[in-house]
Amino acid sequence: MEDSGKKEWIIDKYNKIQNEYQNFSGIRDKIRPEIGALRISITYLLVGSLWILLSDIVLDMLTSSEEMYKELQIYKGWFYVAITGIIFFFLIYRVLNLYRQSVEQVLKSYDEVNIAYEELTIMNEELTAQYDEADQQRDALMLSEQRYQLIVDGASDGIWDWDLTNDFYFVSDKWKKLFGYEPSEIRDTMLGWQEYFYPGDFEKIKEILVQYLRKETDIFEATYRLKHKNGEYRWVYSRGKAVWNQEGKALRIAGSHKDITETKLMEEQLEIFAYYDQMTSLWNRIRFEQEIQRLMKRQKSFAIVNLDIDDLKEINDMFGQEIGDEYIRYFASILNEQIKKPDFAARFSGDQFVILIYNYNNEKELSFYLDYLFSIIKRPWKTQGTDILMTVSGGVAVYPEHGETLSQMMQKAEIAMVEQKEKGKNGYTFFQPKMYENTLKIIRLNTRLREAVYKSEFQLYYQPQVDLVTEEIVGVEALIRWNDPEEGFISPMDFIPVAEKNGLIVPIGYWVLKTAMEQKREWERLFNLNIKVAVNMSGYCITDDIVMEHICQMIEEMGVKPEELEIEVTETAVMIDLDKAKEGLERIRSYGITIAMDDFGTGYSSLTYLQRLPIDILKIDREFLNTIEIGGQDSYIYNSVIELGHNMDLKIVAEGIETKEQRDYIKYKGCDMGQGYYFYKPMPAESLNQIFQNQSSKEV
Ligand code: C2E
Ligand code: MG
Ligand code: MG
């Protein structure tokens, strides 16, 4: 039964018992024993007296006969008994009736009281149980209050409770002390606290609070800064929950505050590790990518400039890794100082940096900016008392023209940068779609070249070299030809650099050397001809110990006369690693094989390092020949090269002789041998067979 029901029930019972009591009182008032008894006695006395006095008079009037009188006297006596009997009956009946009524009432009331008693017993039990429960709850409440107090006093976090209706903002004393304040120093209202927030943080919290009060969030959670008494701001993390009324309005919010300054500092430290390049303190690739993703959402045009330090490897090799690192830091400092904010540079890896230009308007404007930057980069770099001229190559890609994703943009900037490297480094280039085609061409070439190696689609052509005095063929240079089934002949100028990059130069190099030696043996067999065969060898093979080992083994196995074998290397090839090249060439030379320096005049053209290398022959590049006007001023250089070469005991071969005048000129200048279309074009072995055939028949 509910409490309100119980109450009504008790009132009802009480009213009933009250009514019963009224009834009993009425009945009790009615029952008056002395009056009742008196009434019966008086009635009897009256009736008896009247009867005695009047009945004989009436009888006398009625009759005069004695007989009759006596007879009537008898009837009169019986009549009196009858009348008094009736009167007694009614009088006694009334009293007994009252008695019965009251006994019944008593019994009825007894039942009612009995029921009420039972109900009350039940109710009493319920009340006892409720009392016990309330008792327990009170104990629990006391316990939880004690606990709460312990938490407030003992917690390292602050406890807060904000009465929104009255703006009473309770914050534990401990929290105030943590910030250096006495408990009474700060008013216990939100307004009182407002001035301690870091500028702008209070407004942010208000927004979060409004969201929570609108029930858009499950919990109130905010991170902000509060002022310590010493003036420092400390980071605080607060969370809390509201108590809502029936209309869904928040009455108060309570929760905890936590000082998270240490965690924040750690986060900042971690961010430095995660987003900054340790060596240069520039942003790293991850941070750069995040910024790009953000910019892409902005849908405005921006540009990226991919920068690669030219020939940093050479600096590392020559001066050591530390100097290389020093340059990287120096270069980063230029970027940091010269790039206008908000543009920034990030270091992606080793010598690769990328600049983000936030607002790109046109190529001209950006070129102006980059020209200035590059003019600073080109300034000599002072280290260890010397000036070093370092250069950088850059590629520019523009969003959204050149790509809609970061990887597309990076790819384009990279392609443009590679293009700049090929153009001679030291500068920057904007990406153009045709560059992409070039790259695609290279990728396709890579795949096809790999197939060509496995399918042996190569062939060797041979170009004779003649003695300029006798004009006899004294040797042949083996030149590789690739007859691609789809594209036809592809120039070695196009595919050799690709093979050098993808490593296919090694199997190609083996094949050329082996085929050339086999051909030489064939000519020996066919024409008894001891002709010198020159083979071009890539710098990548010469500077690799394992490859050199294999080459030497091949030479030994083939058993060709080493003095009739010549290896041609280019200046640029040996510059990959001068010491290693020297080692490799000396090894080859120790067999008695001659070494020729190819294309002399196009690369570094430094006679000083020529002295360090084991060289027998100098081949002057045809470009060199083409630039001189016969008899003109430049011939002086040609003269000195020949003279110097001869002084170093080198034989001189002039390449690319196309005309009689050229032949006469170089002959006159004292070149030893000549090679060029004027004498012979490169040709397959079968065509040379014919020439050798004719020669040998002439000799016979
Ligand atoms: P290289 O070793 O200097 O070869 C001479 C190049 O000049 C050859 O071009 C030849 O065909 C060309 N040439 C010869 N005489 C004349 C002339 O009078 N006028 C003109 N315009 N050109 C002439 P090719 O065969 O296209 O070879 C180009 C370069 O490719 C070679 O230059 C060499 O550096 C490289 N190469 C060729 N075959 C091989 C090879 O088997 N291995 C390696 N590693 N490189 C090779
Ligand atoms: Mg050559
Ligand atoms: Mg050459």
Side-chain angles (χ1 to χ4, degrees):
M1 203 188 290
E2 293 225 338
D3 286 354
S4 58
K6 273 181 199 160
K7 200 171 154 193
E8 273 171 25
W9 185 86
I10 290 172
I11 292 169
D12 187 43
K13 286 287 159 204
Y14 176 76
N15 287 342
K16 274 194 184 148
I17 291 170
Q18 205 67 29
N19 285 343
E20 292 303 321
Y21 177 74
Q22 297 291 337
N23 289 344
F24 280 129
S25 306
I27 293 168
R28 186 193 62 194
D29 292 347
K30 281 182 195 162
I31 301 171
R32 300 179 71 182
E34 67 285 352
I35 293 184
L38 196 65
R39 191 185 284 153
I40 293 168
S41 305
I42 290 169
T43 309
Y44 180 70
L45 283 173
L46 271 172
V47 172
S49 304
L50 284 172
W51 190 262
I52 291 165
L53 289 173
L54 298 173
S55 60
D56 286 342
I57 300 166
V58 173
L59 277 183
D60 284 342
M61 284 188 312
L62 284 173
T63 184
S64 48
S65 125
E66 186 109 359
E67 282 280 305
M68 188 71 168
Y69 191 85
K70 276 186 183 171
E71 204 174 320
L72 283 174
Q73 202 65 317
I74 291 166
Y75 287 129
K76 184 192 84 165
W78 284 110
F79 186 71
Y80 175 77
V81 170
I83 285 291
T84 50
I86 288 166
I87 289 168
F88 275 124
F89 172 81
F90 279 108
L91 285 173
I92 291 167
Y93 173 79
R94 186 175 166 267
V95 171
L96 286 178
N97 201 30
L98 267 177
Y99 176 71
R100 187 192 169 91
Q101 267 182 21
S102 59
V103 168
E104 274 177 0
Q105 198 66 39
V106 165
L107 282 175
K108 197 176 147 208
S109 301
Y110 178 77
D111 283 350
E112 289 277 341
V113 167
N114 227 1
I115 291 168
Y117 175 76
E118 276 171 21
E119 297 280 350
L120 278 172
T121 313
I122 294 168
M123 236 154 44
N124 183 37
E125 279 167 10
E126 275 179 17
L127 279 172
T128 315
Q130 276 178 5
Y131 177 79
D132 287 349
E133 200 182 319
D135 216 29
Q136 279 173 6
Q137 276 174 357
R138 198 190 59 228
D139 287 350
L141 195 68
M142 258 167 67
L143 199 71
S144 95
E145 254 175 31
Q146 280 171 357
R147 239 183 242 146
Y148 172 74
Q149 200 52 44
L150 276 174
I151 290 168
V152 170
D153 295 344
S156 57
D157 294 357
I159 307 291
W160 60 282
D161 185 347
W162 185 19
D163 179 344
L164 294 168
T165 329
N166 306 307
D167 187 27
F168 178 71
Y169 183 59
F170 165 80
V171 178
S172 49
D173 292 350
K174 196 164 183 144
W175 182 249
K176 292 181 187 171
K177 280 190 183 146
L178 208 73
F179 278 77
Y181 301 105
E182 284 307 313
S184 57
E185 217 169 325
I186 304 176
R187 268 188 302 138
D188 285 334
T189 62
M190 193 45 89
L191 272 173
W193 277 86
Q194 198 172 336
E195 60 183 286
Y196 297 94
F197 282 88
Y198 185 81
D201 280 8
F202 188 73
E203 285 65 35
K204 279 186 214 150
I205 297 172
K206 258 180 17 194
E207 272 175 37
I208 299 172
L209 184 69
V210 168
Q211 279 175 356
Y212 175 63
L213 294 180
R214 279 198 210 121
K215 298 195 174 170
E216 288 167 13
T217 51
D218 289 339
I219 190 160
F220 166 75
E221 248 180 329
T223 308
Y224 53 92
R225 281 153 291 181
L226 265 189
K227 197 181 200 166
H228 191 278
K229 194 156 184 187
N230 66 13
E232 224 177 67
Y233 279 97
R234 297 190 68 81
W235 280 97
V236 177
Y237 166 71
S238 292
R239 51 185 279 142
K241 281 219 149 206
V243 176
W244 313 90
N245 69 7
Q246 281 180 338
E247 285 83 50
K249 191 175 166 237
L251 301 174
R252 55 194 275 201
I253 310 180
S256 63
H257 292 314
K258 195 178 176 67
D259 183 337
I260 53 160
T261 312
E262 300 304 317
T263 324
K264 271 274 172 192
L265 285 177
M266 220 149 78
E267 266 175 26
E268 275 168 22
Q269 209 59 39
L270 283 175
E271 193 186 278
I272 290 174
F273 272 105
Y275 295 129
Y276 289 85
D277 173 57
Q278 300 302 301
M279 192 200 267
T280 61
S281 299
L282 293 179
W283 277 0
N284 65 11
R285 186 188 195 114
I286 300 170
R287 185 66 193 81
F288 184 89
E289 287 180 1
Q290 280 181 352
E291 195 56 18
I292 287 268
Q293 306 292 5
R294 200 179 66 75
L295 275 190
M296 283 179 167
K297 285 193 193 117
R298 194 187 65 159
Q299 293 285 323
K300 260 179 100 177
S301 198
F302 65 88
I304 60 171
V305 187
N306 184 20
L307 298 172
D308 192 282
I309 302 170
D310 296 327
D311 307 317
L312 188 69
K313 192 181 171 300
E314 267 76 84
I315 294 291
N316 284 335
D317 290 350
M318 265 190 273
F319 301 102
Q321 183 93 26
E322 294 76 41
I323 302 295
D325 288 354
E326 195 184 312
Y327 182 74
I328 288 176
R329 277 192 285 269
Y330 165 76
F331 178 60
S333 72
I334 294 182
L335 296 179
N336 212 13
E337 284 160 21
Q338 303 300 332
I339 293 172
K340 291 177 284 177
K341 304 278 171 298
D343 300 347
F344 70 91
R347 180 167 175 239
F348 270 37
S349 62
D351 58 354
Q352 191 194 7
F353 294 76
V354 186
I355 308 175
L356 178 63
I357 310 284
Y358 273 78
N359 291 312
Y360 174 79
N361 294 324
N362 53 56
E363 205 172 306
K364 203 173 154 199
E365 198 180 289
L366 183 55
S367 297
F368 188 70
Y369 182 5
L370 291 180
D371 283 347
Y372 174 72
L373 181 66
F374 271 79
S375 71
I376 307 261
I377 294 170
K378 282 174 195 167
R379 286 180 188 166
W381 168 55
K382 282 190 174 38
T383 185
Q384 300 190 328
T386 44
D387 281 358
I388 299 185
L389 282 173
M390 292 294 289
T391 59
V392 168
S393 299
V396 187
V398 173
Y399 177 83
E401 281 159 65
H402 298 148
E404 285 177 357
T405 64
L406 174 66
S407 67
Q408 284 171 358
M409 292 276 292
M410 278 309 296
Q411 190 193 38
K412 306 292 162 58
E414 182 95 22
I415 289 170
M417 189 273 289
V418 170
E419 186 84 8
Q420 176 64 34
K421 290 245 180 208
E422 271 163 22
K423 274 201 296 197
K425 310 174 183 173
N426 194 15
Y428 63 91
T429 301
F430 280 79
F431 172 79
Q432 281 167 16
K434 72 167 195 282
M435 296 174 187
Y436 194 53
E437 282 155 27
N438 290 346
T439 313
L440 270 180
K441 243 166 127 181
I442 291 173
I443 294 169
R444 272 212 303 273
L445 196 66
N446 260 306
T447 333
R448 286 214 316 277
L449 196 58
R450 195 155 276 123
E451 273 175 34
V453 171
Y454 293 111
K455 290 184 186 162
S456 296
E457 286 170 4
F458 301 111
Q459 196 186 348
L460 279 190
Y461 270 40
Y462 299 89
Q463 185 176 33
Q465 296 172 339
V466 298
D467 182 308
L468 285 177
V469 182
T470 62
E471 296 225 341
E472 271 179 19
I473 298 175
V474 287
V476 292
E477 180 182 358
L479 294 161
I480 194 166
R481 295 290 174 262
W482 175 19
N483 191 5
D484 181 66
E486 286 167 34
E487 307 257 327
F489 278 106
I490 298 174
S491 163
M493 306 278 260
D494 292 331
F495 72 83
I496 293 289
V498 177
E500 282 178 333
K501 275 187 195 138
N502 66 17
L504 285 173
I505 192 66
V506 176
I508 292 175
Y510 292 157
W511 180 85
V512 171
L513 184 64
K514 194 162 173 266
T515 315
M517 287 192 296
E518 279 169 356
Q519 186 58 56
K520 179 173 160 46
R521 285 209 332 210
E522 178 74 358
W523 283 324
E524 281 172 11
R525 194 181 60 81
L526 286 175
F527 311 107
N528 198 17
L529 190 68
N530 296 325
I531 191 146
K532 198 170 186 178
V533 175
V535 171
N536 293 283
M537 196 167 283
S538 162
Y540 291 92
C541 296
I542 289 165
T543 51
D544 190 319
D545 288 339
I546 300 168
V547 177
M548 282 319 286
E549 180 65 38
H550 191 72
I551 282 174
C552 290
Q553 211 180 322
M554 267 168 64
I555 295 169
E556 279 175 34
E557 278 170 13
M558 291 295 283
V560 294
K561 288 189 198 106
E563 63 277 12
E564 289 177 5
L565 202 59
E566 189 173 297
I567 297 293
E568 293 190 6
V569 282
T570 62
E571 288 173 291
T572 33
V574 295
M575 281 306 284
I576 296 172
D577 186 337
L578 202 61
D579 291 333
K580 269 260 165 275
K582 187 171 173 239
E583 208 180 290
L585 291 176
E586 271 168 356
R587 197 166 169 191
I588 295 174
R589 203 166 180 237
S590 68
Y591 285 88
I593 297 167
T594 24
I595 311 285
M597 176 56 70
D598 203 355
D599 301 348
F600 189 77
T602 53
Y604 296 83
S605 305
S606 159
L607 286 166
T608 46
Y609 77 76
L610 263 191
Q611 280 174 322
R612 292 178 55 197
L613 293 169
I615 304 232
D616 308 289
I617 292 170
L618 210 60
K619 293 186 79 176
I620 307 177
D621 193 74
R622 71 184 158 90
E623 289 294 325
F624 211 88
L625 185 71
N626 285 343
T627 54
I628 62 163
E629 263 178 68
I630 293 181
Q633 277 229 324
D634 286 343
S635 61
Y636 167 75
I637 305 166
Y638 212 91
N639 290 344
S640 359
V641 170
I642 296 168
E643 204 175 312
L644 267 164
H646 279 155
N647 284 347
M648 286 166 71
D649 267 347
L650 303 175
K651 288 234 175 309
I652 313 287
V653 180
E655 286 190 291
I657 313 294
E658 290 183 352
T659 62
K660 188 174 172 297
E661 288 74 30
Q662 285 173 340
R663 195 262 334 244
D664 293 344
Y665 177 77
I666 54 137
K667 193 176 166 186
Y668 168 70
K669 290 292 169 193
C671 277
D672 302 288
M673 283 166 284
Q675 184 181 345
Y677 295 169
Y678 173 72
F679 305 110
Y680 300 97
K681 286 196 166 176
M683 60 190 95
E686 299 80 55
S687 313
L688 256 176
N689 284 352
Q690 198 58 50
I691 295 169
F692 292 147
Q693 181 75 50
N694 295 345
Q695 253 185 22
S696 57
S697 54
K698 257 191 233 165
E699 278 168 19
V700 171

